[in-house]
């Protein structure tokens, strides 16, 4: 199937994709969606803690992102209607999930297109100023790191909050088998800090509640790793299983949608020049040195 009816969402002008009538309709529909969503996930959500959200302010629900149904579970945890920023276009246009996402309310972004990214920020600001709420996944893609709880965050959320006056509400989800656990932390004004500090505080808040969920509900043990199999293969198998759950997971796009901090050089970039060297007598020591480390 192809959801041609959703193509209008690709337009960059906010007023062409978001209407006051549509917001009103979706707020009325919200209780029905909350009833339907649990039947679509295949897992059971257990909300461990849910903060009170201010009634007189629009909010941005900033959520962790690491498995197939975490968008739905974030919406259920938020317990308020919110438009969702979505960047997985194949899933949106070629599955029934796109229709249910549209019924809830969504803002589409092409993460590889600069104009689309800029437009998505303007759409979110527009929706918030009209009295709606937003769900964002500020990591930009799934967390697939074997050691980081939360990737570095895109700063766009700070601009959206600053220009709309919205508060930010951190939400973390964690899946164990057929259960998903979640925490919704307290709302805070990210613009009370400078952009760099505000983004760092948000990332720390997300990592803290994510760790709390893992610490209390993860059942994997070190003993399970005590085999002849290399430990990193367990992680690769885990990622393969996660991505295979999405029929339209775009592996190529996801390679380029994680935030890259220009002030941090990763190992691959640091040694990339070695792959371009042509061995000769003058640079032979570089290859010898590399082989000893």
């Amino acid at each position: 199937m192809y959801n041609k009816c959703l193509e209008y969402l690709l337009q960059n002008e906010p007023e062409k994709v978001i209407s006051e009538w549509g917001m009103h309709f979706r707020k009325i529909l919200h209780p029905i969606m909350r009833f339907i969503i649990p039947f679509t996930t295949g897992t059971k959500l257990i909300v461990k803690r849910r903060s009170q959200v201010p009634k007189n302010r629009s909010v941005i629900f900033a959520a962790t992102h690491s498995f197939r149904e975490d968008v739905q579970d974030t919406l259920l945890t938020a317990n308020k209607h919110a438009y969702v920023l979505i960047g997985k276009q194949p899933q949106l246009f070629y599955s029934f999930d796109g229709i249910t996402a549209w019924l809830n309310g969504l803002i589409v972004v092409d993460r590889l297109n600069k104009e689309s990214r800029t437009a998505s920020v303007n759409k979110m600001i527009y929706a918030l100023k009209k009295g709606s709420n937003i769900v964002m996944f500020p990591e930009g893609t799934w967390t697939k790191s074997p050691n980081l709880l939360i990737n570095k965050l895109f700063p766009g959320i700070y601009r959206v909050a600053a220009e709309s006056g919205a508060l930010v509400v951190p939400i973390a989800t964690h899946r164990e088998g057929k259960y998903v656990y979640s925490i919704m932390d307290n709302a805070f004004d990210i613009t009370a800090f400078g952009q760099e500090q505000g983004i760092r505080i948000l990332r720390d808040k997300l990592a803290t509640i994510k760790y709390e969920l893992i610490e209390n509900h993860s059942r994997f043990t070190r003993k399970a790793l005590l085999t002849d199999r290399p430990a990193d293969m367990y992680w690769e198998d885990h990622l393969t299983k996660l991505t295979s759950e999405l029929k339209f997971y775009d592996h190529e796009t996801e390679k380029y949608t994680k935030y890259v901090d220009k002030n941090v050089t990763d190992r691959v970039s640091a040694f990339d020049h070695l792959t371009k060297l042509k061995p000769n007598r003058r640079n032979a020591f570089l290859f010898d040195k590399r082989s000893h480390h």
Side-chain angles (χ1 to χ4, degrees):
M1 64 180 294
Y2 177 70
N3 302 319
K4 186 176 178 60
C5 60
L6 302 183
E7 286 184 352
Y8 80 96
L9 294 169
L10 297 174
Q11 298 177 96
N12 288 338
E13 297 83 1
E15 62 278 4
K16 290 185 178 180
V17 298
I18 301 170
S19 67
E20 292 188 17
W21 178 89
M23 287 183 179
H24 182 67
F25 167 73
R26 287 174 172 84
K27 286 180 180 178
I28 294 174
L29 189 64
H30 178 62
I32 299 173
M33 295 296 293
R34 280 189 55 79
F35 176 78
I36 294 173
I37 286 174
F39 296 101
T40 69
T41 62
T43 53
K44 178 178 175 57
L45 174 67
I46 300 174
V47 180
K48 302 302 295 183
R49 190 167 70 252
R50 179 187 282 135
S51 64
Q52 292 294 319
V53 177
K55 295 182 179 180
N56 60 341
R57 297 275 293 271
S58 291
V59 298
I60 304 167
F61 296 103
T64 61
H65 200 25
S66 56
F67 55 91
R68 179 182 62 83
E69 68 273 19
D70 60 5
V71 175
Q72 296 97 312
D73 288 321
T74 294
L75 285 167
L76 292 174
T77 301
N79 202 33
K80 289 175 71 73
H81 176 260
Y83 277 75
V84 183
L85 179 66
I86 290 181
K88 293 181 173 63
Q89 292 192 29
Q91 191 78 7
L92 176 67
F93 285 103
Y94 290 95
S95 74
F96 188 72
D97 290 345
I99 300 299
T100 56
W102 172 80
L103 284 172
N104 171 79
L106 73 161
I107 293 171
V108 180
V109 58
D110 180 347
R111 291 170 292 169
L112 301 182
N113 183 288
K114 185 176 180 179
E115 288 185 4
S116 179
R117 294 196 303 269
T118 300
S120 70
V121 169
N122 294 331
K123 292 174 190 176
M124 287 186 284
I125 294 170
Y126 182 84
L128 289 162
K129 285 184 174 181
K130 291 291 185 180
S132 187
N133 304 303
I134 294 292
V135 170
M136 292 180 69
F137 300 90
E139 294 173 275
T141 185
W142 280 5
T143 308
K144 298 187 286 290
S145 169
N147 62 305
L148 294 178
L149 286 174
I150 304 293
N151 294 323
K152 291 206 170 185
L153 309 183
F154 282 91
I157 188 171
Y158 188 93
R159 179 190 162 191
V160 173
E163 296 195 25
S164 67
L167 299 176
V168 174
V169 179
I171 293 180
T173 52
H174 173 67
R175 187 173 72 178
E176 281 289 329
K178 291 293 183 179
Y179 293 91
V180 173
Y181 303 90
S182 68
I183 291 174
M184 185 165 80
D185 207 359
N186 296 321
F188 78 105
D189 184 359
I190 196 172
T191 64
F193 313 93
Q195 177 175 296
E196 185 177 345
Q197 184 183 9
I199 293 295
R200 184 171 65 249
I201 289 172
L202 173 57
R203 187 183 181 213
D204 287 345
K205 287 178 177 289
L206 288 170
T208 298
I209 55 178
K210 179 77 171 182
Y211 184 82
E212 180 181 336
L213 292 172
I214 293 172
E215 184 178 39
N216 291 327
H217 302 290
S218 180
R219 296 193 298 270
F220 197 81
T221 64
R222 289 180 179 272
K223 186 177 180 180
L225 291 173
L226 297 178
T227 67
D228 294 333
R229 199 161 177 241
D232 57 351
M233 290 187 66
Y234 285 93
W235 184 250
E236 291 302 319
D237 288 348
H238 171 67
L239 293 182
T240 298
K241 180 178 182 298
L242 282 178
T243 55
S244 67
E245 293 175 2
L246 282 177
K247 184 177 180 181
F248 299 101
Y249 188 83
D250 189 343
H251 290 269
E252 193 61 28
T253 297
E254 299 300 329
K255 289 179 183 178
Y256 305 102
T257 51
K258 187 173 78 170
Y259 178 71
V260 177
D261 188 338
K262 295 179 181 179
N263 297 316
V264 177
T265 303
D266 60 30
R267 184 180 182 280
V268 174
S269 298
F271 292 98
D272 185 55
H273 66 284
L274 293 178
T275 64
K276 301 171 185 175
L277 284 176
K278 294 182 179 180
N280 57 53
R281 289 184 178 182
R282 289 189 298 174
N283 64 25
F285 73 96
L286 292 172
F287 296 91
D288 180 66
K289 184 177 182 180
R290 185 171 62 160
S291 68
H292 285 81
H293 285 271

